Amino acid sequence: MTEQPPTPLAFSGSRLGWADLPRAVRRRIAEMAGAEVTAEASATNGFSPGYAAVLDLADGTQVFVKAVSPEQNPDSPDLARAEMRASEHVPDGVCAPELLWSDDDGTWVLLGFAPVHGRTPESPWRADELSRVLEAVAELADNGTPFSGRLPPLAAGLARFMSGWRALAQDGAALDRAVDAAGAHGAWLRAHLDELCELETEGPRAATGTTLVHNDLRADNILLDADDERVWLIDWPHASADGARWFDLLGMLPSVAMQGGGDPAEHFWRHPNARGADRDAVRAALAGLAGYFVHGSVQPPPRGIANLRAFQGAQGRAALAWLSTF
């Protein structure tokens, strides 16, 4: 694995503690969990600015709890609701934490998961850990094809997000910032902007298939079990139906590249999920993802997630570097 500059941490920087939660919310968590809370261990990764911690309970059990409200970030409650719905449709063969209970009072959304113990992959990526994760991505596609669960179709979600290049084309100041943020590939971006705008319109259709996709795979959404070979795939609010079996692989590899995991093109084309993939379809979907990352990186930070833009910028540069080789 090649050395890479440090990349931004996948952490909101404003995670709540147990004492920060309103008393009524703490009481409701204890009621849903079935026992009083005796200790907490806060999660150290992830972009949610709400509450996320493994709780020790008075009856000797544990539960991993997420608790969010619009005060931390206006989008977080809807993402929690989406994860609640997605948990009902993840196939049994997929290594994902079980949702034990949930509660939604219209303001605070609470999710209680069976705790899974492990750690995120090391950064820079270790070859053995990346191999384990890539095998898990293949298993996810195998277990999720064909997928008949009731989740939003991938193309519908991508149509909302794959518009970054067209937005930049209409905003000269933002485009200048994006060119600067793209670093060594800024000149290439500007020279190919018209083509990128055309490609991203094809991205949602190009990524269509019959597979369940997690749709947000990165190192911070993966836990490696310390006691066995399981690779836990966590945080499912963006889960979608009707995706190409190669889409999760494609979406993950820019983050792998930015964290020193090697050439994304090499990983992609030798992976079983990419077997038989149409090169033009892959290029269109990658262009749409790159536009989403690059455009997002030059927007004001969302409430409670100040370092998200730097993280998107690093993914965008990695995606552009790959895209420029097609």
Side-chain angles (χ1 to χ4, degrees):
M1 300 296 174
T2 58
E3 289 290 330
Q4 295 284 332
T7 53
L9 293 175
F11 182 60
S12 69
S14 56
R15 179 121 331 132
L16 299 177
W18 179 252
D20 299 317
L21 295 174
R23 182 177 302 173
V25 172
R26 298 199 303 266
R27 183 169 59 248
R28 187 59 177 153
I29 289 172
E31 291 173 356
M32 297 297 295
E36 292 299 316
V37 174
T38 59
E40 67 170 329
S42 181
T44 56
N45 283 285
F47 282 112
S48 172
Y51 181 77
V54 175
L55 300 181
D56 292 339
L57 304 175
D59 62 2
T61 64
Q62 291 183 320
V63 61
F64 177 72
V65 171
K66 294 182 180 182
V68 294
S69 79
E71 184 176 349
Q72 292 82 52
N73 178 275
D75 298 323
S76 291
D78 283 341
L79 289 174
R81 294 177 182 112
E83 185 167 16
M84 187 191 312
R85 294 189 293 269
S87 68
E88 301 175 2
H89 301 286
V90 177
D92 290 339
V94 175
C95 202
E98 178 188 3
L99 181 64
L100 301 176
W101 48 261
S102 62
D103 188 69
D104 182 356
D105 66 5
T107 299
W108 281 92
V109 183
L110 314 178
L111 305 178
F113 292 91
V116 297
H117 298 286
R119 60 171 179 81
T120 56
E122 292 187 14
S123 182
W125 278 90
R126 285 173 27 187
D128 60 324
E129 293 183 355
L130 180 56
S131 179
R132 285 176 63 187
V133 170
L134 291 175
E135 288 179 9
V137 174
E139 291 171 2
L140 171 59
D142 288 342
N143 281 296
T145 307
F147 179 69
S148 58
R150 297 189 306 277
L151 288 175
L154 178 65
L158 294 184
R160 294 193 300 273
F161 292 108
M162 288 187 172
S163 59
W165 298 125
R166 285 166 287 173
L168 290 172
Q170 297 173 10
D171 185 340
L175 176 60
D176 290 341
R177 296 196 302 274
V179 168
D180 289 341
H185 296 280
W188 184 91
L189 181 169
R190 194 184 290 277
H192 291 82
L193 182 59
D194 289 345
E195 181 184 10
L196 293 171
C197 289
E198 293 179 6
L199 282 171
E200 75 176 357
T201 65
E202 303 169 11
R205 178 191 57 79
T208 298
T210 61
T211 300
L212 164 71
V213 295
H214 178 284
N215 200 19
D216 198 25
L217 285 182
R218 306 181 307 264
D220 57 291
N221 283 338
I222 294 167
L223 290 176
L224 305 178
D225 197 298
D227 298 325
D228 56 35
E229 290 300 306
R230 281 182 296 182
V231 176
W232 292 96
L233 307 180
I234 64 174
D235 292 345
W236 287 77
H238 302 287
S240 302
D242 303 330
R245 66 180 297 126
W246 46 261
F247 185 77
D248 271 333
L249 176 68
L250 181 85
M252 183 184 75
L253 287 175
S255 71
V256 169
M258 80 175 186
Q259 292 175 316
D263 182 2
E266 181 179 343
H267 289 310
F268 184 86
W269 291 111
R270 71 184 184 191
H271 193 277
N273 286 11
R275 193 172 296 128
D278 179 86
R279 189 176 182 86
D280 289 338
V282 172
R283 182 171 180 248
L286 179 58
L289 288 173
Y292 168 72
F293 290 136
V294 173
H295 175 261
S297 73
V298 297
Q299 304 308 304
R303 187 195 309 168
I305 321 177
N307 64 330
L308 174 63
R309 299 314 188 194
F311 198 87
Q312 289 177 324
Q315 288 177 286
R317 288 187 291 276
L320 272 178
W322 181 8
L323 185 61
S324 69
T325 67
F326 268 81

